[in-house]
Amino acid sequence: MLTTVNRMFDRIMPWITPTSLIAGMLFTVWLKPYGYLSTWLFAFMTLAGSLGTSSRDFVRVFRRPAPILCALILLHFVMPLVAWLFGMTFFGGDAETITGLVLGTAIPTGVTTLFWVALKGGDVTLTIAVILLDTLLAPFVVPGMLSLLFASELHIDALGMVWKLLLMIVFPSLLGMFINHVTRGEAERVWKPRLAPFSKIALGGVVALNGAFVAPFFIHFEWKLALILATVILLTLIAYLFGYSTGRWGWRKEAGVTISLTYTVGMRNISAGAVIATTFLPAAAALPVCIAMLVQQLMASMVSSVLNKLTDIKLIATDRYPLKKVK
């Protein structure tokens, strides 16, 4: 039965995220007090997605660090620089908006990246490795990049941020790997498929909670808001394109690496970014990050639908198998 439900969720996946966003914005009064649950929903999704990993997989990934380094460079150097250039072009004198755009691209890769990579048959171990390293680097890289571009220091609660990301990513990943090792792979064969539909439900819950958070920002419509939205969408598309192109250029015969780079570079931990923005930046600087919360999951659904159409080679494959032509 759970397998049937999971297949149904797979078919309606492109609609889950926008529907959840709308529901979250409509029921913001009731959902907003439960925003703290997003951390534990993220943790559950990470645990469910990492049940198929093992220590041998990590050894294999770190023996070839090139994909990890490419992802980190694109995440924390290339995309923030592109965002800064776009901000200077479209919002010349608005330093707060430009800061928000750069922050939205400088924050670490998204926790839900793991879900989408697993759904598309990407290299889950590579994705977890990027997320783990990115989580540890984020408290230093994010304020460093903002200081470099804006010549100003941002006082961020680095320890608090690291602790929250550890709860959402590192600990569940290590627990999933430990469970898989102790059960000698039984967790991957039995429990991972059973938990898959609940992981999708958790994704909907996270998106709805994010929608409840951003709802107040959309009460009053302005043309500047529309321009920020268009800029965020364009930056997201460029990030996906950079990740996809890097994977296809560097690892053409490995579908898993291409899929992993596409999503790890294209997605961000917007929830963490929103906390940083609303805590340490003015409201105007937080707005681009909050808008990105609306865009990210919908864009992920669209990328999931069109990924195979970008090339004549079908990309849905596991990291253990090379690309194959399809009829």
Side-chain angles (χ1 to χ4, degrees):
M1 180 178 177
L2 289 176
T3 302
T4 303
V5 173
N6 188 52
R7 290 174 180 171
M8 181 191 70
F9 281 145
D10 285 341
R11 289 194 297 268
I12 65 174
M13 196 64 213
W15 302 102
I16 290 178
T17 48
T19 302
S20 300
L21 279 172
I22 294 172
M25 296 178 70
L26 290 177
F27 300 103
T28 180
V29 175
W30 294 275
L31 291 178
K32 199 169 182 180
Y34 300 98
Y36 67 92
L37 292 176
S38 62
T39 299
W40 304 109
L41 292 174
F42 270 133
F44 169 75
M45 292 165 58
T46 305
L47 174 62
S50 61
L51 284 176
T53 60
S54 66
S55 57
R56 291 191 301 272
D57 292 330
F58 276 99
V59 171
R60 175 182 60 82
V61 169
F62 284 105
R63 280 178 178 173
R64 190 179 58 170
I68 300 176
L69 292 176
C70 286
L72 294 177
I73 291 172
L74 289 171
L75 280 166
H76 295 301
F77 179 75
V78 175
M79 282 310 303
L81 184 59
V82 171
W84 180 77
L85 292 173
F86 274 47
M88 294 296 293
T89 301
F90 299 131
F91 308 95
D94 191 346
E96 292 181 347
T97 299
I98 299 173
T99 303
L101 290 172
V102 172
L103 176 62
T105 56
I107 53 181
T109 189
V111 181
T112 51
T113 300
L114 185 64
F115 168 81
W116 288 103
V117 170
L119 178 67
K120 296 300 293 182
D123 192 329
V124 172
T125 309
L126 171 61
T127 303
I128 293 177
V130 173
I131 293 174
L132 290 175
L133 288 178
D134 207 14
T135 300
L136 297 176
L137 291 174
F140 311 102
V141 175
V142 173
M145 178 57 69
L146 292 176
S147 299
L148 176 65
L149 293 178
F150 300 100
S152 62
E153 294 292 335
L154 287 179
H155 300 287
I156 296 177
D157 183 7
L159 291 177
M161 181 181 175
V162 168
W163 175 246
K164 185 172 183 179
L165 293 176
L166 286 173
L167 287 176
M168 291 191 297
I169 307 170
V170 180
F171 295 155
S173 298
L174 295 177
L175 178 60
M177 185 171 64
F178 175 74
I179 292 174
N180 190 42
H181 174 74
V182 170
T183 61
R184 300 174 183 260
E186 191 71 14
E188 179 182 11
R189 293 189 296 270
V190 178
W191 287 105
K192 190 173 182 179
R194 294 179 179 179
L195 293 177
F198 297 103
S199 183
K200 295 179 177 66
I201 294 173
L203 174 63
V206 170
V207 174
L209 292 171
N210 289 343
F213 178 82
V214 301
F217 291 92
F218 292 85
I219 295 177
H220 303 291
F221 176 82
E222 296 179 359
W223 285 111
K224 181 181 177 181
L225 185 66
L227 181 57
I228 295 175
L229 174 62
T231 305
V232 169
I233 292 175
L234 183 57
L235 287 172
T236 304
L237 287 173
I238 291 174
Y240 275 116
L241 182 60
F242 279 171
Y244 171 82
S245 300
T246 301
R248 289 287 288 164
W249 175 72
W251 297 272
R252 183 175 180 82
K253 294 184 178 181
E254 297 182 60
V257 174
T258 299
I259 294 170
S260 179
L261 288 177
T262 299
Y263 280 104
T264 53
V265 177
M267 300 190 74
R268 296 293 187 278
N269 194 333
I270 297 297
S271 295
V275 173
I276 296 171
T278 54
T279 303
F280 302 101
L281 299 176
L287 186 57
V289 182
C290 294
I291 290 177
M293 295 176 71
L294 285 174
V295 171
Q296 176 163 275
Q297 295 300 329
L298 181 59
M299 293 295 294
S301 295
M302 294 174 60
V303 169
S304 177
S305 299
V306 305
L307 189 59
N308 295 335
K309 299 179 182 180
L310 295 178
T311 176
D312 61 340
I313 297 178
K314 191 175 181 65
L315 281 177
I316 297 182
T318 66
D319 56 313
R320 297 179 177 86
Y321 299 97
L323 289 170
K324 294 182 179 180
K325 294 276 188 177
V326 293
K327 298 180 180 181

